[in-house]
Amino acid sequence: MKFSTTVRAVGAAFAALSLATLPSVPNAVAGESHDVAGVVQHLEPTGSVETAPDDLVSDAGVGRKDEVRVVAVTLGEDGAPSFAANEVRGAAAATEAVEEAQDLEGVVAVEIDSPVTIADYAGATNDPFFDDQWGLSRTRLPGAWNVSTGDKVKVAVVDTGIDISHPDLVGRVTDGAEFDYTKADRDADQGAGFLPVDDEDLPGKGWEDPHGHGTHVAGIIAANVNNGLQIAGGAPGAAVMPVKVFDENGAGASSDVARGIVWAVNNGADVVNLSLTMDRAAASVEAAIAYAVERNVIVVAAAANTASNGQLKYPSAYPGVIGVAATDKKNARTTFSSAHSGVDVAAPGSFILSLWPSHRRQSVSGTSQAAAFVSAAAALAVEANGGSLTPAAFERTIKKSSKDLGVKGRDDEFGYGLLDAAALVCDVASCDASKLPGDVLVGPTSGEPETEKETPASVVTRSLMTVFEAYSHRVAHNTSVPLRVWVTDTNTGASVANEDVLVVIERAGKSTIRRALKTNKKGVAKASVRVRSHTVVRLGETGLKVRFTAVPNLKVVSHTKKKAAIKVSAGAQRKIEFQKRVNGRWKTRKVVTASKAGKANVSSLPAGKWRAYVAKSDTHAAKATGWWRVR
């Protein structure tokens, strides 16, 4: 079946997407301009619609016990992408789900959902900590306020939510518009087959931020100015739009990000900030970005924090997206910033002071923060242009106005150079940027570290950055998760050796553990955390924390004819539901209480497809086995 509609696609390679390989994005690979002019195409079904289901699943590396989410992408008559998903376990169930997805009407792509992570590495005002916001003056954002403040421009923050109760964000959050689609909100769909989600029916808790990352990004973009409170945002006249797609652990899925982007566009966003990264391309996100660009919405994305060279990271590598790398106080590439051909510009990303939930503030480093500075500059440019600035025009202007860093001309570390918001706005509004204040420094600086200045006693002068070496914050029961903590002086950027670090481990249903660590010569303290129930790890009194969701190990020990034996870890006395597939949905038919050893047996199962399921509890997440057939 042919399904064709006119959209602004993402380059000719869209039609060649597969699950096993990254798509070939000609402009990105060649390090050329990502200009989107002239890429309007007729989008037809991709190769993933025609490929054998077992080949797609095999190429995606789905194992016999892996939990995956199969996503089908369709396009409406207006070019708006929509998404349907089915969460399954195991290669066999994934193959069946792919086959089902390929048969959906109007499908243009089928893929295994990709994990997405947030991109943290862990003018004078009367705002008391304005002088500590070195990134503002370095990019000349306050100087640009003489021309534009981003008034009435909407910036969608696709992230962990935003704590709208923070006093420095009062009046800076869009009224009545929020989006929340995280893993927790999909629990009701467990085993329901392919079900498109009606975004209008979502619970809407985008105004909550149990993690903190989204609030930090929002503060960089649009915190109030001249209110005598804490900090100043780069676009103090703009409004941030909460688009919550990550859970409290900072974990999310590509199709949720895609749905959030489409929702933001449909609800009036002028700029979309994506302070997030994916290791591989995702057709769902690609289609959503294409939809945004076609509707003249500027999309900004973090370059990633893997410190890699040459390896493309998404969504920053997509054409039409402004990919942002991170620089430090000396205008050098930070140790974590990824370098690849998707990088367009650079912005400050080292020890960036911004807002944190519960009326606090926090210094955080990452390309997430760098992307937020560029999104703020985009809001200023949109207002300066009268609201009609196209993504292509913005891309050309920001590349032209940025101050070259690194090797002459464009390079993978800094793109076209360091963001200069004053030059950017004046290029749009036809003013003289040389007369606007600011301190953009061309090229990495040298010499002695910056002079330490007196700061209020309440300011944290040493900031703890955390990196948890785990692919996901959803971890199997009894898994040992390595933990590393960096301690760096925020004034000099130097590592701090022999520093005491207190790690507090709070475990659901168990006692709290406190561990005293000390950093080594490189300023790193190491430990490990064993996750036997839902666990929160906190770093002393800094407010930094990470949550680990414990997932029980649930497996089918045996099944013969009409009998089955199940075992679940940490499952003593837990209820095991035996569910049968009925009309595309999993229906509970029998419930058995597990023994003290976590074992459960069932007999007299009628013919059909069956699986075992454990509902979520106070200590563990829900878990389902792969299905088996009773004949």
Side-chain angles (χ1 to χ4, degrees):
M1 175 184 66
K2 297 292 184 180
F3 181 79
S4 177
T5 185
T6 301
V7 299
R8 188 176 299 279
V10 287
F14 190 96
L17 276 175
S18 69
L19 294 178
T21 59
L22 297 177
S24 173
V25 184
N27 284 340
V29 173
E32 299 171 355
S33 169
H34 293 187
D35 287 347
V36 296
V39 296
V40 177
Q41 300 181 6
H42 288 279
L43 181 62
E44 297 193 359
T46 70
S48 61
V49 177
E50 305 296 335
T51 304
D54 55 344
D55 287 342
L56 283 177
V57 173
S58 176
D59 290 345
V62 180
R64 186 167 57 89
K65 298 181 179 181
D66 291 341
E67 290 186 343
V68 296
R69 192 175 179 209
V70 179
V71 178
V73 182
T74 60
L75 294 177
E77 293 182 358
D78 61 350
S82 58
F83 316 94
N86 189 1
E87 295 184 7
V88 296
R89 183 174 187 269
T95 300
E96 181 180 338
V98 169
E99 184 176 3
E100 182 181 353
Q102 290 175 331
D103 290 336
L104 293 176
E105 183 178 358
V107 67
V108 296
V110 177
E111 64 183 356
I112 303 296
D113 222 356
S114 302
V116 184
T117 57
I118 55 180
D120 269 351
Y121 188 62
T125 76
N126 64 6
D127 300 287
F129 305 111
F130 178 80
D131 288 342
D132 296 296
Q133 295 181 263
W134 70 273
L136 283 180
S137 58
R138 186 63 52 84
T139 55
R140 294 214 293 173
L141 278 160
W145 297 343
N146 292 280
V147 180
S148 167
T149 62
D151 186 42
K152 298 181 180 179
V153 177
K154 295 181 180 179
V155 182
V157 178
V158 182
D159 218 291
T160 61
I162 298 175
D163 179 7
I164 66 172
S165 69
H166 200 295
D168 236 355
L169 287 174
V170 172
R172 299 270 60 85
V173 182
T174 53
D175 294 330
E178 57 180 328
F179 175 95
D180 183 2
Y181 195 74
T182 57
K183 179 67 173 67
D185 297 318
R186 295 199 301 268
D187 286 346
D189 296 339
Q190 179 76 24
F194 282 97
L195 288 179
V197 176
D198 184 357
D199 295 338
E200 298 301 323
D201 294 334
L202 295 177
K205 294 183 180 179
W207 39 264
E208 295 179 351
D209 183 8
H211 184 279
H213 184 270
T215 301
H216 198 270
V217 169
I220 295 171
I221 296 172
N224 280 301
V225 68
N226 280 325
N227 60 352
L229 294 178
Q230 296 187 8
I231 67 165
V240 287
M241 178 185 293
V243 184
K244 186 177 180 180
V245 297
F246 291 100
D247 63 17
E248 68 275 12
N249 302 314
S254 55
S255 62
D256 293 340
V257 172
R259 185 175 288 111
I261 294 170
V262 173
W263 182 91
V265 173
N266 291 340
N267 282 272
D270 301 292
V271 180
V272 172
N273 183 87
L274 302 175
S275 288
L276 53 92
T277 61
M278 304 181 296
D279 286 334
R280 68 180 187 184
S284 56
V285 176
E286 198 168 14
I289 289 174
Y291 178 68
V293 173
E294 171 65 16
R295 280 148 184 78
N296 288 329
V297 176
I298 296 169
V299 182
V300 178
N305 300 325
T306 60
S308 59
N309 293 302
Q311 182 181 358
L312 287 177
K313 297 295 180 179
Y314 298 88
S316 60
Y318 288 134
V321 176
I322 305 300
V324 188
T327 57
D328 61 18
K329 289 185 177 181
K330 293 187 176 183
N331 282 7
R333 173 189 173 188
T334 62
T335 56
F336 52 81
S337 186
S338 300
H340 54 81
S341 56
V343 173
D344 294 297
V345 295
S350 178
F351 298 106
I352 303 302
L353 182 67
S354 186
L355 308 180
W356 204 254
S358 301
H359 303 184
R360 294 178 293 171
R361 62 191 178 279
Q362 182 68 52
S363 289
V364 178
S365 298
T367 52
S368 281
Q369 284 61 42
F373 279 112
V374 174
S375 290
L380 302 186
V382 169
E383 187 209 345
N385 186 252
S388 60
L389 187 65
T390 67
F394 175 73
E395 183 168 352
R396 290 192 298 270
T397 303
I398 195 170
K399 291 175 179 178
K400 173 184 174 183
S401 60
S402 295
K403 302 306 179 184
D404 192 22
L405 294 177
V407 299
K408 188 175 181 179
R410 191 211 166 272
D411 59 72
D412 285 356
E413 292 190 348
F414 305 103
Y416 287 85
L418 181 66
L419 169 68
D420 183 345
L424 169 69
V425 169
C426 277
D427 192 83
V428 171
S430 300
C431 58
D432 187 354
S434 66
K435 296 181 179 180
L436 299 180
D439 69 344
V440 173
L441 303 179
V442 180
T445 62
S446 59
E448 296 299 320
E450 298 179 35
T451 302
E452 183 173 345
K453 55 183 175 293
E454 183 177 352
T455 56
S458 59
V459 175
V460 178
T461 58
R462 286 179 176 175
S463 176
L464 298 179
M465 292 193 302
T466 61
V467 177
F468 290 83
E469 296 176 338
Y471 290 106
S472 171
H473 292 304
R474 289 174 56 86
V475 297
H477 172 80
N478 206 34
T479 296
S480 180
V481 181
L483 164 67
R484 292 189 296 172
V485 181
W486 275 260
V487 179
T488 310
D489 193 299
T490 57
N491 292 311
T492 66
S495 299
V496 180
N498 298 316
E499 179 77 3
D500 292 325
V501 176
L502 176 64
V503 175
V504 181
I505 304 172
E506 301 171 353
R507 302 173 298 169
K510 300 181 182 296
S511 59
T512 297
I513 299 175
R514 295 176 177 268
R515 293 184 184 175
L517 309 177
K518 189 176 290 290
T519 58
N520 59 22
K521 293 180 180 179
K522 296 182 179 180
V524 180
K526 299 181 180 180
S528 62
V529 178
R530 187 165 295 279
V531 179
R532 293 192 175 97
S533 63
H534 294 328
T535 302
V536 177
V537 180
R538 303 180 187 274
L539 293 181
E541 304 299 327
T542 67
L544 294 176
K545 64 182 178 181
V546 66
R547 292 182 175 88
F548 292 101
T549 300
V551 181
N553 295 309
L554 182 66
K555 66 178 182 178
V556 181
V557 177
S558 64
H559 62 86
T560 57
K561 294 184 178 180
K562 298 182 179 182
K563 299 180 179 180
I566 305 296
K567 185 174 183 179
V568 58
S569 63
Q573 310 300 307
R574 293 193 68 175
K575 302 292 185 182
I576 310 296
E577 300 178 26
F578 289 87
Q579 300 178 334
K580 184 180 180 182
R581 190 78 168 181
V582 180
N583 296 327
R585 295 174 178 267
W586 291 105
K587 300 291 185 180
T588 300
R589 292 291 185 253
K590 295 190 176 185
V591 179
V592 178
T593 301
S595 67
K596 292 183 178 181
K599 297 180 179 180
N601 299 303
V602 69
S603 59
S604 302
L605 298 177
K609 292 181 180 179
W610 288 84
R611 75 173 187 181
Y613 175 74
V614 177
K616 64 181 179 180
S617 67
D618 292 337
T619 60
H620 288 79
K623 185 67 180 291
T625 66
W627 61 269
W628 70 89
R629 186 180 295 278
V630 175
R631 302 186 185 279

